[in-house]
């Protein structure tokens, strides 16, 4: 469940929102499942959310809100739901596979134990047996040997199948792990991956004494833009800004979607002057492109970004570095937007359009 909804459910109005969600579900004849409840809670209590926008679109289309519709919206906008399902599926396949290997090994072990016992008995009684008895013993040993060989062949082929299946599972889990670190809309890293990378970068900057810098970017007047042109076009603008930021943040640099219309770039091993130059390239590229509304070909007007940059200082924590970059971002906003500001030991320098 998203943290916004989490805080709504812990607010004094929690029961009112919950009741409204259930009423809305009843009105629109939606089954009261846990997943539908979570989605409809977004609809009534977080009207600006992507989930609310998707539900609104479904209602406007007049189509029924079926479980499949709900699952599709959840898979797109509540990644945790999709993720936990996929991890459970992968875990179940892995455990089934290991069970079958275990069973095959156990059966081979039992057969080979019985064979060993047969060999021991045979060798002991061979010494004082007549020819017929020896012949019958050799026959029974040959039957037992064939059985062991067949079991071994079956085990080998099962192990080969299992190796293939484990390879497929490993790839699938790797994909799930990548998805868990990726923002679905922009394909940039998500907030979780960003938090981990920032933590690592700060540790390295502190221990190795290399410079490192953080930039936080916000799309100017995005809410107004979204309200004017709709969520779908808003999403495309987010994708566009992400694509420019992703290009600027190539190599060792790391870019992420930090929140709704906010992005972050980490520059390991680079100082604030290098980060400023890179972010100015992004700002100029974004502000000089005329975007079109795909459905009508109308001009969408100028899209601009504001950026705040902070360089790591000895003793900085990730939260402290973020706070200084955020402070510089707000300096960019205050001084007119479409600019990049540096947080520099308390003073801020700004490069504007
Ligand atoms: P997308 O629509 O999936 O496009 C991916 C890439 O395909 C674009 O990357 C661009 O290199 C190319 N492309 C797609 N459509 C066109 C086109 O009509 N003309 C040209 N010359 N190239 C095209 P790019 O430019 O980095 O854009 C990334 C994403 O940003 C796009 O994904 C789209 O979601 C959004 N976007 C970019 N420009 C516009 C625009 O003018 N209007 C809208 N609504 N969205 C845009």
């Amino acid at each position: 469940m998203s943290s916004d909804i989490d805080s709504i459910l812990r607010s004094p109005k929690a029961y009112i929102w919950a009741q409204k969600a259930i009423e809305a579900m009843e009105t629109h004849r939606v089954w009261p499942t846990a997943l539908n409840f979570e989605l409809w809670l977004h609809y009534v209590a977080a009207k600006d959310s992507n989930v609310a926008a998707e539900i609104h679109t479904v209602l406007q289309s007049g189509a029924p809100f079926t479980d499949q519709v709900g699952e599709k919206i959840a898979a797109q906008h509540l990644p945790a739901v999709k993720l936990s399902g996929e991890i459970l599926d992968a875990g179940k396949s892995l455990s089934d596979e290991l069970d079958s290997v275990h069973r095959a090994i156990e059966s081979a072990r039992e057969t080979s134990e019985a064979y060993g016992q047969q060999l021991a008995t045979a060798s002991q009684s061979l010494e004082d047996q007549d020819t017929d008895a020896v012949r019958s013993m050799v026959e029974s040993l040959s039957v037992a040997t064939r059985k062991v060989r067949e079991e071994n062949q079956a085990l080998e082929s099962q192990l080969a199948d299992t190796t293939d299946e484990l390879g497929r599972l490993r790839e699938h889990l790797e994909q799930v792990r990548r998805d868990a670190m990726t923002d679905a809309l922009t394909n940039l890293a998500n907030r979780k991956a960003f938090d981990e990378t920032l933590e690592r970068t700060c540790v390295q900057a502190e221990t190795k004494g290399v410079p490192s810098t953080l930039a936080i970017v916000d799309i100017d007047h995005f809410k107004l833009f979204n309200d004017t042109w709709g969520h779908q076009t808003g999403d495309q603008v987010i994708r566009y800004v992400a694509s420019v930021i992703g290009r600027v943040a190539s190599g060792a640099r790391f870019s992420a979607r930090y929140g709704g219309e906010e992005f972050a770039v980490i520059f390991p091993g680079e100082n604030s002057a290098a980060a400023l130059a890179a972010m100015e390239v992004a700002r100029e590229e974004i502000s000089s492109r005329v975007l079109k509304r795909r459905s009508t070909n109308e001009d969408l007007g100028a899209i601009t970004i504001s950026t705040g940059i902070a360089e790591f200082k000895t003793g900085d924590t990730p939260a402290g570095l973020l706070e200084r970059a955020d402070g510089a971002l707000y300096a960019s906003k205050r001084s007119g937007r479409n600019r990049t500001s540096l947080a520099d030991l308390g003073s801020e320098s700004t490069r504007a359009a």
Side-chain angles (χ1 to χ4, degrees):
M1 200 172 274
S2 77
S3 54
D4 282 357
I5 288 296
D6 243 4
S7 59
I8 287 165
L9 284 179
R10 279 165 184 71
S11 72
K13 288 172 77 184
Y15 284 103
I16 297 173
W17 288 125
Q19 211 166 1
K20 281 190 175 176
I22 289 169
E23 277 167 16
M25 287 161 77
E26 208 176 346
T27 308
H28 296 285
R29 311 187 73 76
V30 176
W31 290 112
T33 63
L35 183 61
N36 284 340
F37 176 68
E38 179 172 357
L39 293 171
W40 284 74
L41 204 54
H42 279 82
Y43 180 66
V44 296
K47 290 201 184 315
D48 284 343
S49 65
N50 288 330
V51 172
E54 295 275 7
I55 294 180
H56 185 66
T57 309
V58 175
L59 295 185
Q60 275 200 326
S61 75
F65 191 97
T66 59
D67 284 354
Q68 285 90 331
V69 169
E71 278 160 16
K72 199 164 156 224
I73 297 176
Q76 225 178 338
H77 299 289
L78 305 176
V81 171
K82 179 171 167 246
L83 194 62
S84 60
E86 287 191 7
I87 287 174
L88 286 180
D89 286 350
K92 166 115 182 41
S93 312
L94 192 58
S95 137
D96 289 350
E97 203 55 45
L98 291 177
D99 271 356
S100 78
V101 173
H102 185 252
R103 275 196 304 276
I105 289 175
E106 191 55 25
S107 148
R109 195 187 60 74
E110 280 166 12
T111 308
S112 109
E113 201 174 278
Y115 182 58
Q117 270 169 10
Q118 240 171 323
L119 273 182
T121 319
S123 68
Q124 208 173 32
S125 41
L126 259 178
E127 286 153 17
D128 44 23
Q129 292 294 334
D130 61 32
T131 324
D132 282 350
V134 169
R135 185 177 302 118
S136 105
M137 205 169 296
V138 168
E139 271 167 14
S140 79
L141 276 180
S142 136
V143 170
T145 306
R146 198 175 321 121
K147 191 160 185 261
V148 168
R149 201 176 54 230
E150 281 167 8
E151 285 258 1
N152 278 346
Q153 277 168 349
L155 185 61
E156 265 173 34
S157 118
Q158 172 130 29
L159 281 178
D161 288 353
T162 299
T163 310
D164 289 351
E165 183 58 18
L166 286 180
R168 275 193 291 278
L169 278 173
R170 189 176 301 119
E171 266 170 36
H172 182 60
L173 280 175
E174 182 53 30
Q175 183 60 46
V176 169
R177 202 189 63 78
R178 268 199 300 272
D179 286 353
M181 293 293 182
T182 306
D183 171 59
L185 179 67
T186 62
N187 267 336
L188 293 185
N190 64 13
R191 175 69 180 268
K192 179 174 162 52
F194 167 76
D195 286 343
E196 288 178 15
T197 307
L198 185 64
E199 177 84 46
R200 239 184 358 258
T201 307
C202 285
V203 169
Q204 287 203 338
E206 185 75 48
T207 52
K208 297 193 178 151
V210 287
S212 282
T213 303
L214 171 68
I216 300 285
V217 180
D218 189 85
I219 303 177
D220 295 327
H221 299 300
F222 183 75
K223 189 171 171 351
L224 182 65
F225 186 93
N226 231 1
D227 291 346
T228 313
W229 299 103
H231 282 276
Q232 226 170 6
T233 305
D235 278 358
Q236 286 184 344
V237 166
I238 289 177
R239 272 159 58 95
Y240 172 63
V241 171
S243 76
V244 176
I245 289 177
R247 274 199 300 279
V248 163
S250 60
R253 295 171 180 171
F254 173 93
S255 54
R257 183 171 176 209
Y258 182 65
E261 70 271 23
E262 273 198 315
F263 301 87
V265 184
I266 300 173
F267 297 81
E270 293 186 82
N271 63 17
S272 55
L276 180 69
M279 295 319 295
E280 276 296 283
V281 169
R283 187 186 64 73
E284 276 166 18
E285 185 176 334
I286 289 167
S287 62
S288 61
R289 165 116 173 224
V290 179
L291 296 185
K292 298 263 186 210
R293 191 180 197 197
R294 291 258 153 100
S295 50
T296 57
N297 216 27
E298 287 163 272
D299 275 3
L300 295 173
I303 304 296
T304 60
I305 56 170
S306 295
T307 302
I309 291 176
E311 187 173 326
F312 181 88
K313 287 189 298 185
T314 309
D316 253 344
T317 58
L321 185 59
L322 257 169
E323 205 175 302
R324 288 192 298 117
D326 238 5
L329 167 61
Y330 282 99
S332 285
K333 294 275 184 192
R334 271 198 314 272
S335 47
R337 298 182 168 86
N338 188 21
R339 63 195 66 215
T340 309
S341 300
L342 277 182
D344 188 22
L345 303 170
S347 68
E348 284 141 357
S349 66
T350 292
R351 176 98 50 103

